[in-house]
Amino acid sequence: MTTSCKVSICVPTCNRPELLVECLDSCLAQTHTNIEVLIGDDSSDTRTQQLIATRYAHDARIRYVKNEPSLGQARNVASLFARATGDRIALIHDDDYFTNDGIESLLALWQQHPQLEVAFADQYEVDAHGHFDTAKSAAVNAAFHRTAAAQGLQKQPGRTGLVQMFPNNGWMANAALVKRISYRDDVGTCCDYVFGSELCLAASQVYYLHRYVSYYRKTDASVSGRSRGSASSASLTAFEFVSKLTLDASLEPARRLALRRLAPIVVSLYAKNDAPFAALRVAFEHLYAYAYGFDARLYYHLSLIARAFIPTKWRRLPPSAPRFP
C-alpha cells in the first residue's frame, strides 16, 4: 500500500481521557502510516492535556490543541477540519476507535476509483466496557442500510446521508470537500447528521465498503443522549432539516424514508413537551410513518396527544400504559 497520501485523522474530545487512550492508540497503530492525528480538547479540566504531555509528547504525528474557552461539539470538529493538512480527512470521536487497517481499507478505494470523494464502511457496536457482539453489530449496520448487497459506488450519493447509511464517524473523504461543507454550529447535537447529509449530497461519488473499519461505543454519556427527550432533541432538528431540504425529485423517496423514521419520534416529543397541535399535524401529515393506522405506535401517540390537552395537575398516566418510543 502506498504511503504517499497523507490522511488527517480528526479526534474531538471532551472529559474522557480514559477512553481517548484507546482511540489514539488505534490511530497510531494504523497500517497506513502517513497520518497526522489532530486532537481538539474541549475538556473542563487538564486531565487530557496531561495525558497527551506524558504519553504522546514525543510522537510527531500527534497535533494537540486545548480549546480555551471550549468550542462546543460543532465548532470543535470544524476547527479540526480547518487545521488538517492531509489529502484525506477521517473523523473518529474520542470514545470510538479504528481497526488497525481501517484507514488503509478506506484509502484503497481511491486507487480503484480515482474520482471518489467520500468512503465509509461498517462499524462494530461496542458497549461501555469495550465488548461487542458480531451478530448484534451486523443487525445494527443492516438497520442503517449497510449490507453486502449495498456495497459499491452509490447510485444516489445523497441518499446515503439522508437515510443515515453514512455513519457519524469512521469515514474518509477528500479534504477539500470536508473543509467546504464542515460542521454547522446552528443545528445543535444534530450536527453529525446534518454534516453527513450535506457531505453526501455535495459529493459526486460515494463508496460504501461492506467491511468493519471502526468501533462505535455506546455509553450513557453519549452526546446524542443528553437531549433525547426534550424539545431541543437532535431528532426534532433532523426532522426539520430533512423537511426543508431542497432536493432533486429523484431523492424524494430518500426524504420519505428518512421522515418515516423521524416523524413518530417527533410526534412523541411534541406530545411529551405540551405541543399537542404540532404533534397532531406531524402525525396526520406523515400517516405513512404509522403504516396508515396499522402501527400500534399511532394509537399510543394519540393517547399522549390527548393527555397533552389535559391540564398538568389533572394528568395521570395509568401504571400499565405501554411504552413506545
Side-chain angles (χ1 to χ4, degrees), residues 10-146:
C10 298
V11 184
T13 187
C14 183
N15 294 327
R16 291 194 282 209
E18 65 286 349
L19 296 178
L20 179 63
V21 168
E22 187 168 19
C23 176
L24 294 181
D25 286 352
S26 80
C27 295
L28 297 174
Q30 290 301 303
T31 53
H32 179 79
T33 57
N34 190 2
I35 61 169
E36 63 177 358
V37 182
L38 300 104
I39 306 163
D41 183 12
D42 251 11
S43 299
S44 57
D45 55 40
T46 61
R47 290 180 300 152
T48 298
Q49 189 173 30
Q50 292 169 0
L51 167 72
I52 301 300
T54 56
R55 188 179 178 105
Y56 302 104
H58 302 296
D59 196 318
R61 294 171 294 175
I62 295 286
R63 296 178 57 201
Y64 170 84
V65 169
K66 177 78 166 73
N67 299 324
E68 294 178 323
S70 62
L71 299 176
Q73 182 186 6
R75 286 193 295 148
N76 190 12
V77 175
S79 72
L80 290 169
F81 292 165
R83 288 168 49 204
T85 63
D87 307 291
R88 312 275 186 266
I89 288 177
L91 175 70
I92 194 79
H93 292 102
D94 59 357
D95 54 341
D96 305 326
Y97 50 104
F98 279 111
T99 62
N100 286 355
D101 63 350
I103 294 296
E104 181 178 351
S105 297
L106 292 172
L107 188 58
L109 298 171
W110 268 264
Q111 291 184 324
Q112 302 170 32
H113 307 282
Q115 302 306 311
L116 186 62
E117 293 185 278
V118 178
F120 64 95
D122 295 333
Q123 299 173 304
Y124 286 112
E125 184 176 293
V126 181
D127 66 19
H129 306 290
H131 304 134
F132 68 90
D133 183 308
T134 302
K136 183 177 180 181
S137 295
V140 169
N141 281 286
F144 289 103
H145 315 285
R146 298 191 286 263

Side-chain angles (χ1 to χ4, degrees), residues 21 31 64 67 74 103 110 143 174 176 190 208 214 217 250 255-256 285 311:
V21 168
T31 53
Y64 170 84
N67 299 324
I103 294 296
W110 268 264
N174 288 347
C190 191
Y208 160 60
S214 64
R217 191 190 307 267
S250 64
R255 189 205 305 266
R256 186 179 176 92
E285 286 180 356

